[in-house]
Amino acid sequence: TYEIYLRMCSDLLPTPDKPHYTFNLRDISRVIQGVLQSQRDFYDSRDAIVRLWVHETWRVLGDRLTNDGDRKTFASFIETSLSSVFGTSFRALFPDETVHPFGDFTRGELSEGTSPPYEELSDATALKRHVEGCLEEYNDEPGTSPMDLVCFSDAIGHVCRIKRVLSLPRGHAMLVGVGGSGRQSLTRLAAYIAHFKVFSIEVVRGYKSDLFREDLKKLYDLTGVQQQRTVFLFNDTQVIENSFLEDINGMLTSGEV
């Protein structure tokens, strides 16, 4: 993981059109954090753990890449590590040359005291059926605005990615895309699957820093005092003042505003 991190820092540098190509040591810890979601009963072979490691490395580092050329470069880093460190190849681990999503949300009710396994979701048909079922349940919830979404493969993959981030302690993500690409809708669906409430601000005339701080107080009361599992969904169009971003940065780095 460290070797791949070093190559990312040296070969995939930030540019004006890729300003988020910045990597730090937290990325290494997030890869390890993802691997540590494995359970002994479900990862009983070397290849199973290596497949999980490849998936977590793709999620933490590869998902930040914005074009096919960079993704191919990153794939070559993975291939080199698989060959030199693990003595295997990408094709040997993934015969269909696809890194399937992982998740812990497709199994039914489990016995009390057991947690669902973080496992490879290789059955695309079953995964699609499950996500569509969750969408129907979400739309039937009282007080929610129904979402008319088409659950094609990329959308389902994004739901799995967002759900993975929400399941990790202090998980957060920046979703990059054009308007109308489904960033908010898929986040709401993933939050519903993860049993989180969604909190967002409402920008009105005269909405300034003081009102933003008041909304953050409500958010901190929900999460810290009432202990509600909550997703704070913050849109780029809601950045009225630069101080909003400073507050968000404080929340992500220290937890304080």
Side-chain angles (χ1 to χ4, degrees):
T1 305
Y2 181 60
E3 289 174 357
I4 291 177
Y5 160 77
L6 291 178
R7 297 197 65 181
M8 296 288 285
C9 292
S10 62
D11 295 9
L12 296 173
L13 300 174
T15 61
D17 61 333
K18 307 170 189 174
H20 59 286
Y21 277 30
T22 54
F23 308 95
N24 56 51
L25 294 179
R26 291 194 188 97
D27 295 319
I28 296 177
S29 69
R30 291 190 184 106
V31 173
I32 304 305
Q33 187 181 35
V35 174
L36 288 176
Q37 293 184 89
S38 60
Q39 295 181 9
R40 180 181 300 177
D41 294 340
F42 295 92
Y43 291 86
D44 55 358
S45 70
R46 185 171 180 268
D47 283 354
I49 285 290
V50 177
R51 287 167 69 95
L52 173 61
W53 173 78
V54 171
H55 173 267
E56 296 304 306
T57 307
W58 265 105
R59 294 290 74 81
V60 174
L61 300 172
D63 280 349
R64 205 171 302 182
L65 309 177
T66 58
N67 59 64
D68 290 338
D70 291 345
R71 282 187 281 269
K72 288 181 180 178
T73 299
F74 177 72
S76 70
F77 299 163
I78 295 284
E79 185 67 59
T80 299
S81 291
L82 290 176
S83 175
S84 62
V85 179
F86 299 107
T88 185
S89 67
F90 190 86
R91 183 181 291 274
L93 291 173
F94 304 95
D96 56 359
E97 298 189 357
T98 300
V99 180
H100 299 116
F102 279 64
D104 59 359
F105 57 89
T106 58
R107 296 188 177 232
E109 293 293 329
L110 300 174
S111 58
E112 188 174 353
T114 61
S115 57
Y118 185 64
E119 59 189 341
E120 187 173 8
L121 307 176
S122 56
D123 189 339
T125 302
L127 177 59
K128 184 176 189 294
R129 185 165 55 246
H130 181 80
V131 172
E132 288 176 339
C134 292
L135 177 61
E136 290 181 9
E137 293 175 8
Y138 174 89
N139 289 337
D140 291 338
E141 284 281 314
T144 60
S145 299
M147 299 186 298
D148 185 16
L149 302 178
V150 178
C151 294
F152 56 98
S153 58
D154 280 349
I156 293 173
H158 289 318
V159 169
C160 294
R161 290 180 178 95
I162 299 170
K163 167 64 175 68
R164 172 190 170 276
V165 170
L166 299 182
S167 299
L168 296 173
R170 299 174 298 281
H172 60 276
M174 180 174 68
L175 310 185
V176 181
V178 298
S181 58
R183 291 168 296 172
Q184 294 190 65
S185 298
L186 296 181
T187 298
R188 293 182 185 277
L189 178 57
Y192 177 78
I193 293 174
H195 307 294
F196 277 70
K197 300 290 186 182
V198 175
F199 178 92
S200 59
I201 66 174
E202 183 178 353
V203 177
V204 296
R205 183 183 296 274
Y207 193 91
K208 299 294 183 181
S209 179
D210 290 343
L211 291 176
F212 183 62
R213 293 282 181 91
E214 289 299 319
D215 281 334
L216 293 185
K217 287 180 183 178
K218 297 176 185 176
L219 171 65
Y220 271 54
D221 179 73
L222 283 173
T223 57
V225 179
Q226 302 181 36
Q227 296 289 304
Q228 291 188 12
R229 291 154 59 89
T230 307
V231 173
F232 179 33
L233 181 57
F234 187 59
N235 196 322
D236 56 340
T237 61
Q238 297 171 333
V239 184
I240 308 300
E241 297 180 350
N242 288 336
S243 62
F244 290 13
L245 294 179
E246 295 174 5
D247 290 339
I248 294 296
N249 184 62
M251 293 171 64
L252 296 178
T253 54
S254 65
E256 298 179 356
V257 176

PDB file of all heavy atoms in Angstrom, residues 220-250:
ATOM      1  N   TYR A 220     -24.987  19.097  15.222  1.00  0.00           N
ATOM      2  CA  TYR A 220     -24.191  18.548  16.311  1.00  0.00           C
ATOM      3  C   TYR A 220     -25.080  18.053  17.448  1.00  0.00           C
ATOM      4  O   TYR A 220     -24.736  17.093  18.140  1.00  0.00           O
ATOM      5  CB  TYR A 220     -23.202  19.597  16.815  1.00  0.00           C
ATOM      6  CG  TYR A 220     -21.878  19.579  16.086  1.00  0.00           C
ATOM      7  CD1 TYR A 220     -21.819  19.682  14.703  1.00  0.00           C
ATOM      8  CD2 TYR A 220     -20.679  19.451  16.775  1.00  0.00           C
ATOM      9  CE1 TYR A 220     -20.627  19.656  14.024  1.00  0.00           C
ATOM     10  CE2 TYR A 220     -19.463  19.432  16.112  1.00  0.00           C
ATOM     11  CZ  TYR A 220     -19.438  19.524  14.736  1.00  0.00           C
ATOM     12  OH  TYR A 220     -18.244  19.492  14.065  1.00  0.00           O
ATOM     13  N   ASP A 221     -26.235  18.691  17.643  1.00  0.00           N
ATOM     14  CA  ASP A 221     -27.173  18.217  18.656  1.00  0.00           C
ATOM     15  C   ASP A 221     -27.750  16.863  18.252  1.00  0.00           C
ATOM     16  O   ASP A 221     -27.877  15.955  19.077  1.00  0.00           O
ATOM     17  CB  ASP A 221     -28.293  19.237  18.849  1.00  0.00           C
ATOM     18  CG  ASP A 221     -29.312  18.790  19.887  1.00  0.00           C
ATOM     19  OD1 ASP A 221     -28.972  18.814  21.082  1.00  0.00           O
ATOM     20  OD2 ASP A 221     -30.430  18.403  19.493  1.00  0.00           O
ATOM     21  N   LEU A 222     -28.093  16.716  16.961  1.00  0.00           N
ATOM     22  CA  LEU A 222     -28.639  15.444  16.484  1.00  0.00           C
ATOM     23  C   LEU A 222     -27.642  14.311  16.658  1.00  0.00           C
ATOM     24  O   LEU A 222     -27.981  13.221  17.134  1.00  0.00           O
ATOM     25  CB  LEU A 222     -29.021  15.560  14.994  1.00  0.00           C
ATOM     26  CG  LEU A 222     -30.307  16.299  14.639  1.00  0.00           C
ATOM     27  CD1 LEU A 222     -30.419  16.444  13.126  1.00  0.00           C
ATOM     28  CD2 LEU A 222     -31.515  15.542  15.180  1.00  0.00           C
ATOM     29  N   THR A 223     -26.391  14.579  16.286  1.00  0.00           N
ATOM     30  CA  THR A 223     -25.397  13.507  16.278  1.00  0.00           C
ATOM     31  C   THR A 223     -24.754  13.291  17.641  1.00  0.00           C
ATOM     32  O   THR A 223     -24.595  12.161  18.092  1.00  0.00           O
ATOM     33  CB  THR A 223     -24.296  13.817  15.249  1.00  0.00           C
ATOM     34  OG1 THR A 223     -23.714  15.098  15.560  1.00  0.00           O
ATOM     35  CG2 THR A 223     -24.877  13.885  13.851  1.00  0.00           C
ATOM     36  N   GLY A 224     -24.376  14.381  18.324  1.00  0.00           N
ATOM     37  CA  GLY A 224     -23.632  14.251  19.572  1.00  0.00           C
ATOM     38  C   GLY A 224     -24.498  14.073  20.794  1.00  0.00           C
ATOM     39  O   GLY A 224     -24.136  13.338  21.713  1.00  0.00           O
ATOM     40  N   VAL A 225     -25.657  14.737  20.836  1.00  0.00           N
ATOM     41  CA  VAL A 225     -26.522  14.679  22.016  1.00  0.00           C
ATOM     42  C   VAL A 225     -27.564  13.580  21.866  1.00  0.00           C
ATOM     43  O   VAL A 225     -27.718  12.718  22.730  1.00  0.00           O
ATOM     44  CB  VAL A 225     -27.203  16.041  22.262  1.00  0.00           C
ATOM     45  CG1 VAL A 225     -28.112  15.958  23.487  1.00  0.00           C
ATOM     46  CG2 VAL A 225     -26.166  17.133  22.447  1.00  0.00           C
ATOM     47  N   GLN A 226     -28.283  13.589  20.724  1.00  0.00           N
ATOM     48  CA  GLN A 226     -29.338  12.599  20.520  1.00  0.00           C
ATOM     49  C   GLN A 226     -28.816  11.286  19.949  1.00  0.00           C
ATOM     50  O   GLN A 226     -29.570  10.323  19.831  1.00  0.00           O
ATOM     51  CB  GLN A 226     -30.417  13.180  19.599  1.00  0.00           C
ATOM     52  CG  GLN A 226     -31.055  14.459  20.121  1.00  0.00           C
ATOM     53  CD  GLN A 226     -32.130  14.989  19.183  1.00  0.00           C
ATOM     54  OE1 GLN A 226     -32.871  14.233  18.556  1.00  0.00           O
ATOM     55  NE2 GLN A 226     -32.206  16.320  19.080  1.00  0.00           N
ATOM     56  N   GLN A 227     -27.537  11.256  19.578  1.00  0.00           N
ATOM     57  CA  GLN A 227     -26.884  10.034  19.114  1.00  0.00           C
ATOM     58  C   GLN A 227     -27.568   9.434  17.879  1.00  0.00           C
ATOM     59  O   GLN A 227     -27.700   8.218  17.754  1.00  0.00           O
ATOM     60  CB  GLN A 227     -26.837   8.996  20.234  1.00  0.00           C
ATOM     61  CG  GLN A 227     -26.002   9.413  21.429  1.00  0.00           C
ATOM     62  CD  GLN A 227     -24.518   9.425  21.133  1.00  0.00           C
ATOM     63  OE1 GLN A 227     -23.946   8.430  20.718  1.00  0.00           O
ATOM     64  NE2 GLN A 227     -23.888  10.566  21.342  1.00  0.00           N
ATOM     65  N   GLN A 228     -28.022  10.297  16.978  1.00  0.00           N
ATOM     66  CA  GLN A 228     -28.634   9.826  15.746  1.00  0.00           C
ATOM     67  C   GLN A 228     -27.579   9.691  14.653  1.00  0.00           C
ATOM     68  O   GLN A 228     -26.757  10.588  14.457  1.00  0.00           O
ATOM     69  CB  GLN A 228     -29.732  10.797  15.281  1.00  0.00           C
ATOM     70  CG  GLN A 228     -30.960  10.818  16.160  1.00  0.00           C
ATOM     71  CD  GLN A 228     -32.089  11.643  15.553  1.00  0.00           C
ATOM     72  OE1 GLN A 228     -32.042  12.015  14.377  1.00  0.00           O
ATOM     73  NE2 GLN A 228     -33.102  11.939  16.357  1.00  0.00           N
ATOM     74  N   ARG A 229     -27.598   8.564  13.963  1.00  0.00           N
ATOM     75  CA  ARG A 229     -26.672   8.344  12.844  1.00  0.00           C
ATOM     76  C   ARG A 229     -27.122   9.241  11.690  1.00  0.00           C
ATOM     77  O   ARG A 229     -28.216   9.061  11.146  1.00  0.00           O
ATOM     78  CB  ARG A 229     -26.686   6.877  12.439  1.00  0.00           C
ATOM     79  CG  ARG A 229     -26.063   5.957  13.474  1.00  0.00           C
ATOM     80  CD  ARG A 229     -26.598   4.545  13.395  1.00  0.00           C
ATOM     81  NE  ARG A 229     -26.368   3.930  12.103  1.00  0.00           N
ATOM     82  CZ  ARG A 229     -25.286   3.230  11.764  1.00  0.00           C
ATOM     83  NH1 ARG A 229     -24.314   3.078  12.629  1.00  0.00           N
ATOM     84  NH2 ARG A 229     -25.173   2.681  10.589  1.00  0.00           N
ATOM     85  N   THR A 230     -26.290  10.201  11.352  1.00  0.00           N
ATOM     86  CA  THR A 230     -26.718  11.264  10.449  1.00  0.00           C
ATOM     87  C   THR A 230     -25.688  11.511   9.359  1.00  0.00           C
ATOM     88  O   THR A 230     -24.486  11.492   9.611  1.00  0.00           O
ATOM     89  CB  THR A 230     -26.955  12.577  11.237  1.00  0.00           C
ATOM     90  OG1 THR A 230     -27.851  12.316  12.319  1.00  0.00           O
ATOM     91  CG2 THR A 230     -27.542  13.655  10.339  1.00  0.00           C
ATOM     92  N   VAL A 231     -26.185  11.747   8.152  1.00  0.00           N
ATOM     93  CA  VAL A 231     -25.359  12.181   7.027  1.00  0.00           C
ATOM     94  C   VAL A 231     -25.595  13.672   6.805  1.00  0.00           C
ATOM     95  O   VAL A 231     -26.742  14.106   6.652  1.00  0.00           O
ATOM     96  CB  VAL A 231     -25.714  11.406   5.741  1.00  0.00           C
ATOM     97  CG1 VAL A 231     -24.959  11.980   4.545  1.00  0.00           C
ATOM     98  CG2 VAL A 231     -25.393   9.934   5.904  1.00  0.00           C
ATOM     99  N   PHE A 232     -24.529  14.447   6.799  1.00  0.00           N
ATOM    100  CA  PHE A 232     -24.633  15.870   6.472  1.00  0.00           C
ATOM    101  C   PHE A 232     -24.371  16.014   4.981  1.00  0.00           C
ATOM    102  O   PHE A 232     -23.247  15.843   4.514  1.00  0.00           O
ATOM    103  CB  PHE A 232     -23.632  16.679   7.293  1.00  0.00           C
ATOM    104  CG  PHE A 232     -23.664  18.165   7.002  1.00  0.00           C
ATOM    105  CD1 PHE A 232     -24.843  18.798   6.648  1.00  0.00           C
ATOM    106  CD2 PHE A 232     -22.516  18.920   7.090  1.00  0.00           C
ATOM    107  CE1 PHE A 232     -24.877  20.158   6.381  1.00  0.00           C
ATOM    108  CE2 PHE A 232     -22.530  20.283   6.827  1.00  0.00           C
ATOM    109  CZ  PHE A 232     -23.710  20.905   6.472  1.00  0.00           C
ATOM    110  N   LEU A 233     -25.413  16.321   4.236  1.00  0.00           N
ATOM    111  CA  LEU A 233     -25.321  16.463   2.785  1.00  0.00           C
ATOM    112  C   LEU A 233     -25.190  17.941   2.449  1.00  0.00           C
ATOM    113  O   LEU A 233     -26.115  18.724   2.648  1.00  0.00           O
ATOM    114  CB  LEU A 233     -26.567  15.856   2.127  1.00  0.00           C
ATOM    115  CG  LEU A 233     -26.653  15.889   0.605  1.00  0.00           C
ATOM    116  CD1 LEU A 233     -25.454  15.196  -0.025  1.00  0.00           C
ATOM    117  CD2 LEU A 233     -27.947  15.237   0.134  1.00  0.00           C
ATOM    118  N   PHE A 234     -24.026  18.317   1.933  1.00  0.00           N
ATOM    119  CA  PHE A 234     -23.702  19.735   1.689  1.00  0.00           C
ATOM    120  C   PHE A 234     -23.390  19.917   0.219  1.00  0.00           C
ATOM    121  O   PHE A 234     -22.462  19.307  -0.310  1.00  0.00           O
ATOM    122  CB  PHE A 234     -22.514  20.146   2.560  1.00  0.00           C
ATOM    123  CG  PHE A 234     -22.195  21.615   2.522  1.00  0.00           C
ATOM    124  CD1 PHE A 234     -23.133  22.561   2.894  1.00  0.00           C
ATOM    125  CD2 PHE A 234     -20.943  22.050   2.125  1.00  0.00           C
ATOM    126  CE1 PHE A 234     -22.833  23.910   2.867  1.00  0.00           C
ATOM    127  CE2 PHE A 234     -20.623  23.392   2.099  1.00  0.00           C
ATOM    128  CZ  PHE A 234     -21.576  24.333   2.465  1.00  0.00           C
ATOM    129  N   ASN A 235     -24.169  20.753  -0.451  1.00  0.00           N
ATOM    130  CA  ASN A 235     -24.079  20.958  -1.893  1.00  0.00           C
ATOM    131  C   ASN A 235     -23.166  22.130  -2.222  1.00  0.00           C
ATOM    132  O   ASN A 235     -23.090  23.103  -1.462  1.00  0.00           O
ATOM    133  CB  ASN A 235     -25.489  21.213  -2.447  1.00  0.00           C
ATOM    134  CG  ASN A 235     -25.559  21.050  -3.955  1.00  0.00           C
ATOM    135  OD1 ASN A 235     -24.637  21.416  -4.662  1.00  0.00           O
ATOM    136  ND2 ASN A 235     -26.655  20.501  -4.424  1.00  0.00           N
ATOM    137  N   ASP A 236     -22.496  22.068  -3.362  1.00  0.00           N
ATOM    138  CA  ASP A 236     -21.606  23.166  -3.747  1.00  0.00           C
ATOM    139  C   ASP A 236     -22.372  24.472  -3.961  1.00  0.00           C
ATOM    140  O   ASP A 236     -21.818  25.560  -3.767  1.00  0.00           O
ATOM    141  CB  ASP A 236     -20.813  22.809  -5.008  1.00  0.00           C
ATOM    142  CG  ASP A 236     -21.705  22.426  -6.174  1.00  0.00           C
ATOM    143  OD1 ASP A 236     -22.875  22.072  -5.933  1.00  0.00           O
ATOM    144  OD2 ASP A 236     -21.233  22.462  -7.328  1.00  0.00           O
ATOM    145  N   THR A 237     -23.643  24.401  -4.338  1.00  0.00           N
ATOM    146  CA  THR A 237     -24.428  25.632  -4.541  1.00  0.00           C
ATOM    147  C   THR A 237     -24.783  26.298  -3.218  1.00  0.00           C
ATOM    148  O   THR A 237     -25.273  27.427  -3.205  1.00  0.00           O
ATOM    149  CB  THR A 237     -25.723  25.327  -5.312  1.00  0.00           C
ATOM    150  OG1 THR A 237     -26.523  24.401  -4.558  1.00  0.00           O
ATOM    151  CG2 THR A 237     -25.414  24.719  -6.661  1.00  0.00           C
ATOM    152  N   GLN A 238     -24.548  25.589  -2.100  1.00  0.00           N
ATOM    153  CA  GLN A 238     -24.859  26.149  -0.785  1.00  0.00           C
ATOM    154  C   GLN A 238     -23.680  26.887  -0.163  1.00  0.00           C
ATOM    155  O   GLN A 238     -23.788  27.383   0.958  1.00  0.00           O
ATOM    156  CB  GLN A 238     -25.322  25.027   0.148  1.00  0.00           C
ATOM    157  CG  GLN A 238     -26.620  24.361  -0.317  1.00  0.00           C
ATOM    158  CD  GLN A 238     -26.954  23.119   0.476  1.00  0.00           C
ATOM    159  OE1 GLN A 238     -26.069  22.447   1.015  1.00  0.00           O
ATOM    160  NE2 GLN A 238     -28.237  22.781   0.557  1.00  0.00           N
ATOM    161  N   VAL A 239     -22.574  26.962  -0.893  1.00  0.00           N
ATOM    162  CA  VAL A 239     -21.404  27.690  -0.387  1.00  0.00           C
ATOM    163  C   VAL A 239     -21.606  29.173  -0.684  1.00  0.00           C
ATOM    164  O   VAL A 239     -21.180  29.680  -1.726  1.00  0.00           O
ATOM    165  CB  VAL A 239     -20.103  27.167  -1.024  1.00  0.00           C
ATOM    166  CG1 VAL A 239     -18.899  27.877  -0.415  1.00  0.00           C
ATOM    167  CG2 VAL A 239     -19.974  25.669  -0.846  1.00  0.00           C
ATOM    168  N   ILE A 240     -22.268  29.864   0.229  1.00  0.00           N
ATOM    169  CA  ILE A 240     -22.551  31.285   0.036  1.00  0.00           C
ATOM    170  C   ILE A 240     -21.335  32.126   0.402  1.00  0.00           C
ATOM    171  O   ILE A 240     -21.044  33.138  -0.235  1.00  0.00           O
ATOM    172  CB  ILE A 240     -23.765  31.710   0.885  1.00  0.00           C
ATOM    173  CG1 ILE A 240     -24.946  30.776   0.623  1.00  0.00           C
ATOM    174  CG2 ILE A 240     -24.149  33.156   0.596  1.00  0.00           C
ATOM    175  CD1 ILE A 240     -25.409  30.755  -0.819  1.00  0.00           C
ATOM    176  N   GLU A 241     -20.615  31.713   1.433  1.00  0.00           N
ATOM    177  CA  GLU A 241     -19.429  32.429   1.882  1.00  0.00           C
ATOM    178  C   GLU A 241     -18.270  31.446   2.031  1.00  0.00           C
ATOM    179  O   GLU A 241     -18.479  30.258   2.311  1.00  0.00           O
ATOM    180  CB  GLU A 241     -19.691  33.123   3.228  1.00  0.00           C
ATOM    181  CG  GLU A 241     -20.767  34.199   3.181  1.00  0.00           C
ATOM    182  CD  GLU A 241     -20.971  34.854   4.538  1.00  0.00           C
ATOM    183  OE1 GLU A 241     -20.419  34.328   5.536  1.00  0.00           O
ATOM    184  OE2 GLU A 241     -21.662  35.878   4.603  1.00  0.00           O
ATOM    185  N   ASN A 242     -17.056  31.945   1.859  1.00  0.00           N
ATOM    186  CA  ASN A 242     -15.882  31.078   2.016  1.00  0.00           C
ATOM    187  C   ASN A 242     -15.761  30.526   3.427  1.00  0.00           C
ATOM    188  O   ASN A 242     -15.167  29.465   3.647  1.00  0.00           O
ATOM    189  CB  ASN A 242     -14.610  31.853   1.654  1.00  0.00           C
ATOM    190  CG  ASN A 242     -14.489  32.096   0.161  1.00  0.00           C
ATOM    191  OD1 ASN A 242     -15.058  31.360  -0.640  1.00  0.00           O
ATOM    192  ND2 ASN A 242     -13.754  33.133  -0.213  1.00  0.00           N
ATOM    193  N   SER A 243     -16.337  31.254   4.401  1.00  0.00           N
ATOM    194  CA  SER A 243     -16.257  30.787   5.789  1.00  0.00           C
ATOM    195  C   SER A 243     -16.980  29.459   5.964  1.00  0.00           C
ATOM    196  O   SER A 243     -16.654  28.687   6.878  1.00  0.00           O
ATOM    197  CB  SER A 243     -16.859  31.831   6.734  1.00  0.00           C
ATOM    198  OG  SER A 243     -18.235  32.049   6.447  1.00  0.00           O
ATOM    199  N   PHE A 244     -17.966  29.162   5.081  1.00  0.00           N
ATOM    200  CA  PHE A 244     -18.653  27.872   5.159  1.00  0.00           C
ATOM    201  C   PHE A 244     -17.649  26.737   4.970  1.00  0.00           C
ATOM    202  O   PHE A 244     -17.677  25.733   5.690  1.00  0.00           O
ATOM    203  CB  PHE A 244     -19.742  27.773   4.089  1.00  0.00           C
ATOM    204  CG  PHE A 244     -20.937  28.659   4.308  1.00  0.00           C
ATOM    205  CD1 PHE A 244     -20.915  29.682   5.246  1.00  0.00           C
ATOM    206  CD2 PHE A 244     -22.095  28.480   3.579  1.00  0.00           C
ATOM    207  CE1 PHE A 244     -22.019  30.505   5.439  1.00  0.00           C
ATOM    208  CE2 PHE A 244     -23.205  29.275   3.768  1.00  0.00           C
ATOM    209  CZ  PHE A 244     -23.167  30.299   4.698  1.00  0.00           C
ATOM    210  N   LEU A 245     -16.762  26.902   3.979  1.00  0.00           N
ATOM    211  CA  LEU A 245     -15.774  25.863   3.703  1.00  0.00           C
ATOM    212  C   LEU A 245     -14.773  25.737   4.840  1.00  0.00           C
ATOM    213  O   LEU A 245     -14.302  24.637   5.143  1.00  0.00           O
ATOM    214  CB  LEU A 245     -15.046  26.170   2.388  1.00  0.00           C
ATOM    215  CG  LEU A 245     -15.903  26.114   1.116  1.00  0.00           C
ATOM    216  CD1 LEU A 245     -15.057  26.462  -0.107  1.00  0.00           C
ATOM    217  CD2 LEU A 245     -16.526  24.738   0.953  1.00  0.00           C
ATOM    218  N   GLU A 246     -14.443  26.866   5.477  1.00  0.00           N
ATOM    219  CA  GLU A 246     -13.535  26.803   6.629  1.00  0.00           C
ATOM    220  C   GLU A 246     -14.163  26.002   7.766  1.00  0.00           C
ATOM    221  O   GLU A 246     -13.486  25.209   8.437  1.00  0.00           O
ATOM    222  CB  GLU A 246     -13.197  28.220   7.094  1.00  0.00           C
ATOM    223  CG  GLU A 246     -12.414  29.032   6.062  1.00  0.00           C
ATOM    224  CD  GLU A 246     -12.234  30.478   6.493  1.00  0.00           C
ATOM    225  OE1 GLU A 246     -12.640  30.811   7.629  1.00  0.00           O
ATOM    226  OE2 GLU A 246     -11.709  31.284   5.705  1.00  0.00           O
ATOM    227  N   ASP A 247     -15.467  26.193   7.968  1.00  0.00           N
ATOM    228  CA  ASP A 247     -16.154  25.441   9.019  1.00  0.00           C
ATOM    229  C   ASP A 247     -16.199  23.951   8.677  1.00  0.00           C
ATOM    230  O   ASP A 247     -16.001  23.089   9.548  1.00  0.00           O
ATOM    231  CB  ASP A 247     -17.574  25.975   9.211  1.00  0.00           C
ATOM    232  CG  ASP A 247     -17.600  27.362   9.830  1.00  0.00           C
ATOM    233  OD1 ASP A 247     -16.599  27.748  10.464  1.00  0.00           O
ATOM    234  OD2 ASP A 247     -18.612  28.068   9.691  1.00  0.00           O
ATOM    235  N   ILE A 248     -16.481  23.647   7.413  1.00  0.00           N
ATOM    236  CA  ILE A 248     -16.523  22.242   6.986  1.00  0.00           C
ATOM    237  C   ILE A 248     -15.154  21.601   7.174  1.00  0.00           C
ATOM    238  O   ILE A 248     -15.034  20.455   7.628  1.00  0.00           O
ATOM    239  CB  ILE A 248     -16.967  22.138   5.515  1.00  0.00           C
ATOM    240  CG1 ILE A 248     -18.418  22.615   5.342  1.00  0.00           C
ATOM    241  CG2 ILE A 248     -16.848  20.699   5.023  1.00  0.00           C
ATOM    242  CD1 ILE A 248     -19.442  21.783   6.056  1.00  0.00           C
ATOM    243  N   ASN A 249     -14.097  22.337   6.829  1.00  0.00           N
ATOM    244  CA  ASN A 249     -12.747  21.810   6.996  1.00  0.00           C
ATOM    245  C   ASN A 249     -12.450  21.532   8.460  1.00  0.00           C
ATOM    246  O   ASN A 249     -11.833  20.516   8.803  1.00  0.00           O
ATOM    247  CB  ASN A 249     -11.732  22.806   6.437  1.00  0.00           C
ATOM    248  CG  ASN A 249     -10.315  22.283   6.490  1.00  0.00           C
ATOM    249  OD1 ASN A 249      -9.976  21.279   5.877  1.00  0.00           O
ATOM    250  ND2 ASN A 249      -9.461  22.969   7.250  1.00  0.00           N
ATOM    251  N   GLY A 250     -12.908  22.424   9.344  1.00  0.00           N
ATOM    252  CA  GLY A 250     -12.717  22.199  10.774  1.00  0.00           C
ATOM    253  C   GLY A 250     -13.444  20.957  11.256  1.00  0.00           C
ATOM    254  O   GLY A 250     -12.930  20.191  12.081  1.00  0.00           O
TER     255      GLY A 250
END
